[in-house]
Amino acid sequence: MLQLPATEAAAWVPGSPFRLPPPSPASSDFPFLGEAVIPLVNKLQDIFSQLGSSSNIDLPQVAVVGSQSSGKSSVLEALVGRDFLPRGSDICTRRPLVLQLVQTSRRPEDRTELLEWGEFLHVPGRRFTDFGAIRKEIQAETDRELGTNKGISEKQIRLKIFSPNVLNITLVDLPGITKVPVGDQPTDIEARIRTMILTYIKHETCIILAVSPANADLANSDALQMARIADPDGSRTIGVITKLDIMDRGTDARNFLLGNVIPLRLGYIGVVNRCQEDIIAKKSIRDALTYEESFFRSKPVYHNLADRCGIPQLAIRLNTILVQHIKAILPDLKARIGIQLVTLQKELASYGEITESKSGLGALLLNILTKYSQGFQSVVDGKNEEMSTTELSGGARIHYIFQSIFVRSLEEVDPCDDLNNDDIRTAIQNATGPKNVLFVPEVPFELLVRRQIARLLEPSLQCARFIYDELVKISHRCETLELQRFPHLRRRIEEVVASFLREGLSPAETMIGHLIEMEMDYINTSHPAFIGGSKAVEMALNQQRHAKTLASKDLERPSSLPEKQAKAAPRVSAAAPEKATTSSEFSYTKKGSSSSGSSWGISSIFSSSEVRQSANGSSKEHVPARSYAEPVQAPLESSFSSIQLREPPATLRASDAQGEQETLEIAVTRLLLKSYYDIVRKNIQDLVPKAIMHFLVNHVKRELHTVFIRKLYRENLFEEMLQEKEDIAVKRKRCKEILRVLQQAAWELDTNFY
């Protein structure tokens, strides 16, 4: 016979369907915890139920999971001691039923029948003393939400049952897992049910009550499979083995209850349910519990498993585990509620309050404009409280554009990279007009250097546009949550800022253009950093000598040409002038083309008036024997013939032949261009950022608030600009509601939990 401890036998309550064990001396705090924390969680659940599915606070609860016909409803009714759940051959639980069992106090002197009742959250103030009416109300409320079809809904039904015969437990009865849709059920009914179950049992605050029938293979239990998905290590799953009395003869559930088949840390409880015949015959739960007790007494295999058998043990186990679970997570729950309170208070403050008076609207508008202006200035100055630690922003990006993009790009430009020697030669020859080149003229130098200075205009303007784009981005960052309430005001502010930035960009670009024009209008060859003509000539001569030295070293190397070829070369070169002289009798040759580079004159750039010297009257050899004024003595037979000149081509290029003098002139011109360009480049690198900062950045910082007041702060525009977005009022109302609920929850925790 299964023997109950003396303390349990003494705890039999008349009229109660099962025994409630009194507290042992070793666990005297158990009733206090059970009486304190579970009702507290029930209150929190009622509070958070006002938020519906939008609540993201996960409260401790026990979720009942099982397949259809697993005995799930019978277990719940046995825990309550009453018939109150809808029954049928199809799916009966179509909405989650949050069942809060509240133990009421009993008075020993009160000999009348103990009073039990139920209350629905959706029917406030009404007590259901008839549990048959509770069943009908559950069915009616389900039909009101889903109609008469067999679909499911995530919307909860919340039911409290007050009774002296229950322990404080909160359970969530979830729809039973079904395999095949019936009637008008959707084809994916199984997937929907499994998804709903997972939304409850996936949270660490949820204890899983996995109900499985004993007459089926436990390894194939739908409830345990779902529990393993959400709780892989089985640390918060309690197994319930039902229908132990209908197992095949010769078999028992001992291995199941001991956890030898599928181990669970919280263990298993075996129970005996009412069969369908008992339900039809309206067998009371009190009688069913009496039958369960006699069944376990009659089975010796379960005698040493008394703490794992029967509905009373299941109630005790659930109460104990739930109390310990709640006690462990309440501190964290309190902290999370506090964090959400702070967050919601900030969000509600961002939505603000609407006032109807003109003065109130004016004060609100002025406050928004002032905050925007101050925010813009703080972002540019790098004093923003929400400064990023992952990327450059605000004024730091402006500095990067100036130094790392603009300055560095100009430094990488070679002023002569787009000038070849022919360009420079052509410029020099064009500058001399109809005369021969006697000096290196200033005109080609100034012409070429102006062209290089003009190249600085486009990158300077591009830099200003980059800064303009950054200021636009900064203006977008200054939009506060408060400003997002008013779309009309936000649009007007964007228009004013964009217009004001364009107004600042225009004088900045004009100033940049003036800077470039100033540099082009006056080529200051007296600048102390300018290399000067004499120094340029000296450097060019040194370069030329160095090149000659290298060339002579190459000629001194052993040659593979025969000696005869080496001697014949001068004769060929000497014959060329003779032929040229005869063929060019009626044309001028370029004067001084064979002159030495050390004997040529320079213009004022070089601060010298040296003139090239002729090579010992050698030019006389190139002058025609007769002057053009003298008649030409020709034979009589050719006196009637005429000499025809070749017409000049439409486009003339510089001569391909380049002497030492022209090489020197080109080298000097390149040195002068590079020297003066570096001076101008440094000026532009310094002055362009200053112009942009003065006319654009600092101007916007100083005058933005004034522009706002002048263009937006008008009494006739208050109502138009301060019209809220439609969803802002809804969000404010919802935020107030959530904040009120969290404040209630925080008050309950502060009052009842220490």
Side-chain angles (χ1 to χ4, degrees), residues 324-359:
Q324 294 172 350
H325 189 58
I326 293 172
K327 184 180 179 182
I329 69 173
L330 273 184
D332 178 65
L333 176 64
K334 186 176 181 180
R336 284 190 289 125
I337 290 176
I339 293 173
Q340 286 205 15
L341 276 172
V342 174
T343 304
L344 282 171
Q345 286 170 349
K346 289 183 178 180
E347 182 182 351
L348 183 60
S350 69
Y351 296 143
E353 294 293 341
I354 284 295
T355 178
E356 300 297 334
S357 64
K358 288 287 185 181
S359 60

Side-chain angles (χ1 to χ4, degrees), residues 16-21 30 34 38 62 75-81 101 103 165-171 209 238-240 268-271 289 292 306-323:
S16 173
F18 54 86
R19 296 179 175 85
L20 299 178
F30 171 74
I38 293 181
V62 178
V75 171
L76 293 175
E77 289 182 334
L79 288 172
V80 176
L101 304 184
Q103 186 181 31
N165 303 322
V166 299
L167 291 180
N168 292 319
I169 305 172
T170 300
L171 307 106
L209 189 66
I238 304 174
V240 178
Y268 290 85
I269 300 292
V271 299
L289 291 174
E292 180 189 57
D307 60 334
R308 307 185 187 194
C309 296
I311 291 295
Q313 293 298 329
L314 175 61
I316 295 170
R317 179 77 62 87
L318 285 175
N319 178 271
T320 304
I321 292 174
L322 185 59
V323 167

Side-chain angles (χ1 to χ4, degrees), residues 255-282:
N255 285 333
F256 296 161
L257 298 179
L258 291 174
N260 295 333
V261 179
I262 299 177
L264 296 175
R265 293 189 185 181
L266 299 182
Y268 290 85
I269 300 292
V271 299
V272 175
N273 302 83
R274 292 182 298 170
C275 63
Q276 188 64 29
E277 182 181 359
D278 295 337
I279 295 172
I280 295 174
K282 297 185 178 180

Side-chain angles (χ1 to χ4, degrees), residues 18-52:
F18 54 86
R19 296 179 175 85
L20 299 178
S24 63
S27 61
S28 59
D29 62 334
F30 171 74
F32 171 77
L33 283 174
E35 294 172 1
V37 296
I38 293 181
L40 172 60
V41 172
N42 290 345
K43 288 182 180 179
L44 294 177
Q45 286 180 335
D46 292 343
I47 291 172
F48 285 114
S49 66
Q50 303 172 51
L51 303 179

Side-chain angles (χ1 to χ4, degrees), residues 130-427:
D130 181 2
F131 282 79
I134 292 178
R135 179 189 299 110
K136 292 179 180 178
E137 180 60 29
I138 293 174
Q139 186 64 52
E141 178 63 16
T142 301
D143 292 342
R144 278 192 289 268
E145 178 70 19
L146 296 170
T148 57
N149 61 29
K150 300 301 180 181
I152 61 172
S153 170
E154 295 182 356
K155 190 174 181 180
Q156 296 176 344
I157 298 176
R158 307 186 68 84
L159 171 63
K160 283 186 180 181
I161 293 183
F162 299 84
S163 172
N165 303 322
V166 299
L167 291 180
N168 292 319
I169 305 172
T170 300
L171 307 106
V172 182
D173 183 21
L174 297 170
I177 302 171
T178 182
K179 297 290 185 181
V180 180
V182 296
D184 54 359
Q185 287 181 344
T187 56
D188 60 343
I189 186 68
E190 180 184 4
R192 292 189 183 186
I193 293 175
R194 289 180 180 273
T195 301
M196 180 190 294
I197 292 173
L198 281 176
T199 59
Y200 281 86
I201 66 176
K202 68 180 180 181
H203 301 294
E204 293 295 326
T205 57
C206 180
I207 296 173
I208 305 170
L209 189 66
V211 180
S212 305
N215 59 346
D217 188 359
L218 197 64
N220 296 325
S221 169
D222 292 328
L224 290 176
Q225 288 177 359
M226 293 292 296
R228 181 170 292 181
I229 294 173
D231 181 30
D233 58 354
S235 60
R236 51 187 179 88
T237 303
I238 304 174
V240 178
I241 309 298
T242 62
K243 305 180 181 180
L244 295 182
D245 57 329
I246 61 173
M247 294 182 69
D248 293 340
R249 291 187 178 183
T251 62
D252 57 67
R254 182 178 180 84
N255 285 333
F256 296 161
L257 298 179
L258 291 174
N260 295 333
V261 179
I262 299 177
L264 296 175
R265 293 189 185 181
L266 299 182
Y268 290 85
I269 300 292
V271 299
V272 175
N273 302 83
R274 292 182 298 170
C275 63
Q276 188 64 29
E277 182 181 359
D278 295 337
I279 295 172
I280 295 174
K282 297 185 178 180
K283 183 178 182 179
S284 67
I285 292 180
R286 183 183 292 109
D287 294 339
L289 291 174
T290 302
Y291 169 76
E292 180 189 57
E293 182 181 354
S294 64
F295 171 80
F296 286 122
R297 290 181 185 274
S298 64
K299 298 291 183 180
V301 69
Y302 300 121
H303 284 183
N304 60 345
L305 299 176
D307 60 334
R308 307 185 187 194
C309 296
I311 291 295
Q313 293 298 329
L314 175 61
I316 295 170
R317 179 77 62 87
L318 285 175
N319 178 271
T320 304
I321 292 174
L322 185 59
V323 167
Q324 294 172 350
H325 189 58
I326 293 172
K327 184 180 179 182
I329 69 173
L330 273 184
D332 178 65
L333 176 64
K334 186 176 181 180
R336 284 190 289 125
I337 290 176
I339 293 173
Q340 286 205 15
L341 276 172
V342 174
T343 304
L344 282 171
Q345 286 170 349
K346 289 183 178 180
E347 182 182 351
L348 183 60
S350 69
Y351 296 143
E353 294 293 341
I354 284 295
T355 178
E356 300 297 334
S357 64
K358 288 287 185 181
S359 60
L361 292 175
L364 176 60
L365 177 59
L366 182 61
N367 183 50
I368 293 175
L369 297 178
T370 302
K371 284 184 178 180
Y372 187 97
S373 303
Q374 292 174 347
F376 185 92
Q377 183 172 355
S378 65
V379 173
V380 173
D381 294 339
K383 299 177 182 179
N384 187 25
E385 295 180 357
E386 301 178 358
M387 185 182 302
S388 173
T389 58
T390 58
E391 63 176 352
L392 295 180
S393 62
R397 289 181 63 90
I398 294 176
H399 180 268
Y400 179 86
I401 292 171
F402 284 150
Q403 301 302 320
S404 299
I405 296 180
F406 178 66
V407 172
R408 187 171 298 176
S409 298
L410 295 190
E411 289 176 349
E412 294 173 353
V413 175
D414 183 359
C416 298
D417 59 355
D418 64 338
L419 290 175
N420 54 38
N421 291 346
D422 289 340
D423 295 335
I424 298 176
R425 289 174 61 201
T426 303

Side-chain angles (χ1 to χ4, degrees), residues 21 54 60-61 63 86 104 197 208 213 237 296 339 381 385 398 429 492 526 552 580 610 633 651:
S54 62
Q61 57 190 0
T104 57
I197 292 173
I208 305 170
T237 303
F296 286 122
I339 293 173
D381 294 339
E385 295 180 357
I398 294 176
Q429 292 181 16
R492 292 295 299 273
S526 300
S552 62
E610 298 180 26
Q633 300 296 329
T651 302

